[in-house]
Amino acid sequence: MGQRRLIVLMNSYTKGISGGDVCLIELVKRMNAYQALVITSGLGKKLCEENGLKAEYLLTTNESRFKCVIGNNILSIINSFFLQL
């Protein structure tokens, strides 16, 4: 039997870092029995990697800088429907 998969949804990340973001990253880093798949934005992936989270990533948007909360969240939600898990 292979390693079990942990699917992590961090789909509404925009900019900055909150306590919830730190907790999520640190919890996933410590769950060594699982192979992590993080569903997030391009900025969310960058944040996770900068904080040492080694995982597989599925990107809902691939922005390089933050633009608009509402537009970003709507685009992330729509793109999430078409992800191949």
Side-chain angles (χ1 to χ4, degrees), residues 28-59:
V28 175
K29 282 171 40 177
R30 287 165 172 72
M31 298 183 82
N32 298 326
Y34 296 89
Q35 176 187 4
L37 169 65
V38 180
I39 301 171
T40 189
S41 64
L43 291 173
K45 178 182 178 187
K46 181 179 175 188
L47 174 75
C48 290
E49 289 176 337
E50 287 173 350
N51 286 279
L53 179 57
K54 294 180 176 92
E56 182 182 344
Y57 294 91
L58 277 179
L59 300 183

Side-chain angles (χ1 to χ4, degrees), residues 20-82:
D21 297 329
V22 173
C23 287
L24 175 82
I25 292 167
E26 292 302 319
L27 284 170
V28 175
K29 282 171 40 177
R30 287 165 172 72
M31 298 183 82
N32 298 326
Y34 296 89
Q35 176 187 4
L37 169 65
V38 180
I39 301 171
T40 189
S41 64
L43 291 173
K45 178 182 178 187
K46 181 179 175 188
L47 174 75
C48 290
E49 289 176 337
E50 287 173 350
N51 286 279
L53 179 57
K54 294 180 176 92
E56 182 182 344
Y57 294 91
L58 277 179
L59 300 183
T60 55
T61 60
N62 198 16
E63 71 281 349
S64 58
R65 64 184 169 84
F66 177 70
K67 296 175 189 165
C68 170
V69 172
I70 295 171
N72 186 47
N73 286 347
I74 291 172
L75 188 59
S76 292
I77 291 167
I78 292 169
N79 289 341
S80 296
F81 289 119
F82 302 104

